[in-house]
Amino acid sequence: NAGVTQTPKFQVLKTGQSMTLQCAQDMNHEYMSWYRQDPGMGLRLIHYSVGAGITDQGEVPNGYNVSRSTTEDFPLRLLSAAPSQTSVYFCASSRDYFTGELFFGEGSRLTVL
Amino acid sequence: AQSVTQLGSHVSVSEGALVLLRCNYSSSVPPYLFWYVQYPNQGLQLLLKYTSAATLVKGINGFEAEFKKSETSFHLTKPSAHMSDAAEYFCAVTTGTGTASKLTFGTGTRLQVTL
């Protein structure tokens, strides 16, 4: 019963490097999203998708790209990492976009030097 | 735009004491409200939700929350704290409509339970 799987769990990057955080869910959920968690700021929405082929920006989308080619996968790309992107990233999915009942992955801790 | 405010970033209670975590929302229409819990080094999991049915909502692990429209509050309570309740708790509200609907989180309250 995997649920939402995120990889990698830890990553250290140098400023300017690129990388992709992977997210996969096996619950056939239409809605998927990416959040970042920073101390004292709660969780902030980066990007979300209401179905394959459809993505939209959240609260803090700058510096991040997403795509949704399948229902299962929703990767988050950092094109040119900056120290301000040091954070813990969470992928979450839901059966639909308005229930608010999100299922979260375990998180990916990213450090940008 | 709807938002939530959690009063108190840290709350400490003794084991067996009442837990009260405060959440106020700003909304011009009845919202959907949620409490999530995050244990150390884990993702968030749903504790309970309010969706305009009963105003007193019961969740997992003995927690409950009461929706009070007159006070725009959705405080989380548990009659008797247990050591295993130590975690960070997030209040959240749905914002937007239709396909733009999304969940907005508060800044979180870390609950410490002492012997």
Side-chain angles (χ1 to χ4, degrees), chain A residues 8-20:
Chain A
K9 286 186 169 42
F10 301 94
Q11 183 72 49
V12 178
L13 289 178
K14 294 181 180 179
T15 297
Q17 287 185 318
S18 63
M19 77 157 300
T20 299

Side-chain angles (χ1 to χ4, degrees), chain A residues 31 35 37 40-45 48 50 56-59 90 97-107 109, chain B residues 32 34 36 38 41-46 49 51 88 90 94 97-108 110:
Chain A
Y31 180 90
Y35 287 86
Q37 184 178 26
M41 304 189 74
L43 279 80
R44 293 180 292 169
L45 183 64
Y48 66 99
V50 298
D56 206 345
Q57 297 182 350
E59 183 184 355
F90 287 97
Y97 51 81
F98 59 81
T99 66
E101 296 182 43
L102 294 177
F103 291 80
F104 282 82
E106 293 190 345
R109 184 175 294 274
Chain B
Y32 285 6
F34 306 83
Y36 278 81
Q38 184 181 31
N41 300 313
Q42 294 186 25
L44 282 71
Q45 61 185 89
L46 182 66
K49 67 174 182 178
T51 57
E88 190 155 20
F90 293 91
T94 50
T97 57
T99 56
S101 179
K102 44 189 172 285
L103 204 57
T104 298
F105 287 87
T107 53
R110 186 169 297 279

